[in-house]
Amino acid sequence: MAMDKTFDAKDAEPRLYAKWEEAGAFRAGANARPGAETFSIMIPPPNVTGSLHMGHAFNNTLQDILVRWHRMRGHDTLWQPGQDHAGIATQMVVERELAKEGNVTRREMGREAFLEKVWEWKSQSGGTIMSQLRRLGASLDWSRNAFTMSGAPGAPAGEEGNFHDAVIKVFVDMYEKGLIYRGKRLVNWDPHFETAISDLEVENVETPGHMWHFKYPLAGGATYTYVEKDEEGNVLFEEERDYISIATTRPETMLGDGAVAVHPSDERYAPIVGQLCEIPVGPKEHRRLIPIITDEYPDPSFGSGAVKITGAHDFNDYQVARRGGIPMYRLMDTTGTMRSDGKPYAEAAETALEVARGERSLSVDEADAINLVPDDLRGLDRFEARERVVEQITAEGLAVMTQESDPRLGKAARTPLAPEEGGEDRVEEESLVPLVEAKPIMQPFGDRSKVVIEPMLTDQWFVDTDKIVGPALDAVRNGDTRILPERDAKVYFHWLENIEPWCISRQLWWGHQIPVWYGLDLSAPDFRDQEGDGALDAVELGELLIKDHMVHAGEVHHCAADFEGVVDAFRLELADTPTPIDHARVIEVEDKAAAIHALAESLAQYNVTQDPTQLVYPVWRDPDVLDTWFSSGLWPIGTLGWPEQTPELQKYFPTSVLITGFDIIFFWVARMMMMQYAVVGEKPFDTVYVHALVRDEKGKKMSKSLGNVLDPLELIDEYGADAVRFTLTAMAAMGRDLKLSTQRIAGYRNFGTKLWNAARFAEMNEAAGSDGTVPQPTETVNRWIVGETAKVREEVDAALDAFRFDDAANALYRFVWGKVCDWYVEFSKPLLSGTDASAQAETRATMAWVIDQCLLMLHPIMPFITEELWEGLGTRDKMLIHSDWPSYGAELVDPAADAEMNWVIQLIEEIRSVRAQMHVPAGLHVNLVVTDWTKDQKAAFARNEALIKRLARVEALEEARAMPKGSATIAVGGASFGLPLEGIIDVAEEKARLEKSLDKLAKDMRGLEGRLNNPKFVESAPDDVVEETRELLTAKQEEAAALQAAHARLSELG
RNA sequence: GGGUGAUUAGCUCAGUGGUAGAGCGCUUCGUUCACAUCGAAGAUGUCAGAAGUUCGAAUCUUCUAUCACCCA
């Protein structure tokens, strides 16, 4: 067979992948030895809308390495594939598609039809990432591909899995255990998609913004002495004030302020704490008053030190408001528009005022019902409202003023002012302008919608994480689950120790609809059926509804896996209504409005017909769906068929390793830990390997807007999957970001070519395709390379065991290129082409074995080229992917052979170096003279003469008493060699070379002697270190002596 | 503001107490029968700075500077 000069990745990769897949090579348990230990990895599910990016390539390369490595070791291995349904992203993609096609909106279509579209889209485009992972060579068991929405109502054929059942079951179970509740809390609200979103879907971006400074006048014209002091207590500034100064980046939220807070230690405001101040916006006649309170949150050194508290629109304020019992007034609707519902402003403000005065209090829901947006601002966009608020305050003269030249205004400053009191300026001049600082602010944007996220107080479902966080923390603390690198365990602890309730509802359609049904709250315990006839006439019905208030304002709700499951619970709700209403048929309707309508209609009809069988009690299902992360949180068990006790679940759970990015430690890893413990009471994985980010070569995060994105598929096209994989692996130092450059990838592509050509050489010399038997050669060269192979096997296993992927890759790189190609292949040439038949045979066998070992050990990192060579080099029982990973070790190392070959290598390198520096023509063979060597060295030379001569271009060896004149001298391991170069040598140049070497030796020796002359070193350092140092010094001294002599000879010469 | 980490050759990075390393790039040489996607040789470092612990520090401690990321 004549091999090509290079590996054709484009041709081979798809062919080999198909071959593996057809052979079922990736199947769970493939190549497992009987009774083998199991090894399982769950893929972090990519979005079903997603396509492969560099992070995926990195993440999946590492997983594939582990999986292939374990599979080759005969372990019962599962790499579980799958995708998550990515609620918001997928819904957005499909809506966009709809818009392109025919301008039908989701709402126009209706929920059912829309979901049908989503499934349709999924069946067409959902497989993209799967085929891309195949390009990378990922050996996932595709027959088990999972999807977080499989088995959901409306799922088409081919999506019959039971993930949906698992998700719903977990929700119901957790609800029943009291771990899930409905409540009003502040969440990240996306005004574009009109849904709550997770922190992960929020991008905080530094944006040019403004900080406005306003005066909140004290109620009733009260005044106080405002005093500012320096650190020593000297008064810097003092004045009478009738206001407190507030800075804000979001003036429109002032409308919802519930208080002004200052730090308890802030003496400047101590005189006015407890007083009321006025929000300087809104109609003059209904100005709202709010209390000045103390809280730890305000930073006295920032701004004026006083903070306005808008509990319903800011996360920090929310905490302060909760601590201080401050009402939270919501100002916007779901689209981020200023509210226009509820009572007129005058009435709302009056209520708020009563609350501020302590005359009444509001429940959270009552506060939420109050609309404190002034009538003229109702219905405005939030940013427009901001402008109007600023205008109104400024017009009223309640903006803090400053000189036009104030640098904080962001304009060119003429005379910079010393900042005092957070920068307020009191110089009275005619050119005063409102103090509006131009400053960058961190602003939250929806990562999909790109609109500004609004913290909003809304009704949502929450997991009471406090109740389930314990086992997740303990597991990592006591080592049941290990997080690598260790630093990331700290991140994990930090987050879980400060965990907040987890908002799991989303106002979307694509997802697992929450299995909760609501009904109108009906009861009339005091009603007496005076006729006692078990029927209700018109009069009685009227009394029921009006006098006994049968229909209450609130709602009741019940949770079960399906509608049938809640019917009984709702019947019980009717128990305290009169017959026959208490026997009404429970039916499901669309929503609350439909329920009211259906109930009214039913009662009306009953009134006419007196037919109790027509009475219905309508209930409606919660329209919201669950956060995608809620379903992803069940990934380890859900993919294995839970709640059914499948054999796979028994075998592969808990899983062995999770490999994932640091950015989702909180969102996914921590939640899987909590969920698995909460649901099945077990850890989801033994080890979590957290990897860093792939960046561009300048260290910038790859992003579409920067245009520095490297597409892994393009890279695979250009360099081959193996090169991309090897690069990522070699750069995978634990916990460090990768700065990826194409140059580096090209370098590792070259490495593949190098391996290819070494194999090609072996094949040409009939030294390929071993049967796997470890050779037991007699030739030193062969004994040496067998030992080197054994050493690297141990190194690679140790590295992979410790998740040191880079160490494994680099060890193999050094071995294959630096040992096998640079030396062993060269050393083998005289033996392979020589006349000694037994040496030739043994070398062929050894080389065949060594090359095969390279293929075996490189396979997990470079699966394609190694499989191709494996097939090409010999007749094999199994494909490489299922071949046996080696297990030999140090017992194959022959120390004598090791020492001898190292000496030979050093000699060759020295000769080459001298030749190059003395400008000996590259092709010229020269003689070598030896004046001094040991018996062993002589024997070693004799054994390796052929290859030394060949590699160093030596014509012949002469033994001599003294070095001939004009020789260049070489000292190797105590032996003195020389190249007689009279006529060729440049004496001055050779002297310079020797001097340089001697200088370095002298420096080294000084250091070594310094240490050895220090009695404390000899006393306290370990014996082997002292011994090593002594030996090193002796060697240096010998070498120096030889070079010294050579230098002397040259000096005599002239 | 809080936390985590980084700072080592021109570049990208290994190196967790025992004389500073790799890859890439650079310079010179090379059409040697595996490979020019190659080979040979070479140059390049106050290991960010300061102080400490130690017989010995790139490595441990403290401080400083700069940068990055995460959380507020």
Side-chain angles (χ1 to χ4, degrees), chain A residues 47 78 91 173 553 593 631 730 772 968 990:
Chain A
N47 284 0
L78 164 67
Q91 182 160 320
D173 287 354
S631 24
E990 170 65 355

Side-chain angles (χ1 to χ4, degrees), chain A residues 16-32:
Chain A
L16 292 168
Y17 197 91
K19 196 170 169 186
W20 288 325
E21 248 193 310
E22 279 157 24
F26 309 153
R27 294 263 179 142
N31 199 44

Side-chain angles (χ1 to χ4, degrees), chain A residues 761-813:
Chain A
F761 171 82
E763 202 262 354
M764 287 165 67
N765 285 279
E766 295 165 59
S770 87
D771 62 4
T773 316
V774 179
Q776 294 186 310
T778 54
E779 294 288 333
T780 316
V781 174
N782 290 329
R783 295 179 68 76
W784 166 76
I785 197 64
V786 168
E788 290 294 323
T789 309
K791 282 195 246 173
V792 81
R793 200 287 300 168
E794 289 187 330
E795 216 178 324
V796 169
D797 273 345
L800 290 180
D801 248 333
F803 298 91
R804 306 293 302 245
F805 295 96
D806 55 334
D807 285 352
N810 291 323
L812 285 165
Y813 187 97

